Amino acid sequence: MSTHLPDHLAAGYRAFIAARSPAERERFRELASSGQHPSTMVIGCCDSRTAPETIFNTAPGDIFVVRNVANLVPPYEPDGEYHSTSAALEFAVHALKVKHILVLGHGGCGGIHAALSPAAEPLSPGDFIGKWMSLLDPVAKAVGGNSHMTAKERQSALERIAIRHSIANLRTFPLIAELEAAGDISLHGAWVDISSGELWSMDPETGDFERAERPDLAD
């Protein structure tokens, strides 16, 4: 069967059709006919190692996901420019009427590393990553200038601060602020350690990150 796709994608699709699709055939039919109704939106990083659907073991239709470099949320700016993440937020909140929005960060984030290395050579003349990560300029400068922290500590600190920064930006969207004040939507933050799989969730009152409980795993 020719799909005009890379071999590994074609093989994955064949495995999906052969094994997964039969078990979930009725669910897919329902999703196709009734549309999507997820209660949760996840704003994650486009890093290939941190797929929210894998981390939270969700089924198709369970969560509405947007991914970008370093899982950032820009401030509300209705200026007529192109705003991909804001467009996804608009659809999730206004059309899907999600009840939860989670900003999901992770360890070893390349975007955060770029924010802490402003003198680094841009990857291309457009420097799209540099421009995007400039959303974090104020906090990145504060963390990057802390000589009492190691490079790894600065990286980890900014990864978590960026999550809080994005949640603050979520509140600049008028409807999100209104819904949160009314108790009709809740904002969450979490950070995942890629190497261990440990998930740390943010306390909404203090902003501290606490490790989520998980069952003991055999070695």
Side-chain angles (χ1 to χ4, degrees):
M1 178 180 66
S2 175
T3 63
H4 308 290
L5 296 174
D7 289 344
H8 66 286
L9 296 183
Y13 172 70
R14 287 193 294 270
F16 166 76
I17 289 296
R20 186 178 183 186
S21 187
E24 299 182 350
R25 184 176 292 118
E26 192 57 39
R27 179 175 180 82
F28 278 106
R29 285 175 178 165
E30 181 182 347
L31 288 170
S33 62
S34 64
Q36 59 174 325
H37 305 283
S39 63
T40 300
M41 176 183 189
V42 179
I43 301 167
C45 184
C46 54
D47 190 303
S48 61
R49 303 167 294 176
T50 59
E53 297 89 343
T54 300
I55 293 169
F56 296 110
N57 193 34
T58 59
D62 284 350
I63 57 176
F64 182 74
V65 179
V66 61
R67 299 174 70 175
N68 62 47
V69 173
N71 44 269
L72 298 183
V73 176
Y76 178 70
E77 292 180 320
D79 54 12
E81 297 297 324
Y82 300 101
H83 295 289
S84 173
T85 298
S86 298
L89 276 167
E90 180 181 67
F91 184 71
V93 175
H94 289 259
L96 296 178
K97 302 187 185 304
V98 297
K99 299 299 182 183
H100 308 278
I101 302 177
L102 168 67
V103 179
L104 177 66
H106 68 94
C109 180
I112 295 297
H113 178 75
L116 288 169
S117 310
E121 189 71 21
L123 294 179
S124 76
D127 193 22
F128 296 109
I129 292 177
K131 175 63 176 176
W132 177 246
M133 295 311 301
S134 69
L135 287 167
L136 286 180
D137 272 355
V139 289
K141 288 176 181 176
V143 173
N146 190 326
S147 61
H148 298 289
M149 301 171 72
T150 67
K152 286 186 177 180
E153 288 171 338
R154 288 192 289 271
Q155 170 85 21
S156 182
L158 187 57
E159 286 166 356
R160 299 184 183 207
I161 291 171
I163 294 170
R164 293 195 287 265
H165 186 73
S166 285
I167 290 175
N169 281 345
L170 282 172
R171 295 188 172 112
T172 67
F173 288 76
L175 183 58
I176 292 177
E178 178 184 328
L179 291 171
E180 186 185 30
D184 292 329
I185 200 168
S186 58
L187 308 182
H188 308 267
W191 178 92
V192 65
D193 185 327
I194 293 175
S195 63
S196 67
E198 289 181 344
L199 184 73
W200 296 67
S201 60
M202 191 190 80
D203 185 313
E205 299 297 327
T206 67
D208 291 329
F209 283 81
E210 302 172 353
R211 185 168 57 187
E213 292 185 6
R214 69 174 193 174
D216 291 333
L217 302 177
D219 291 337

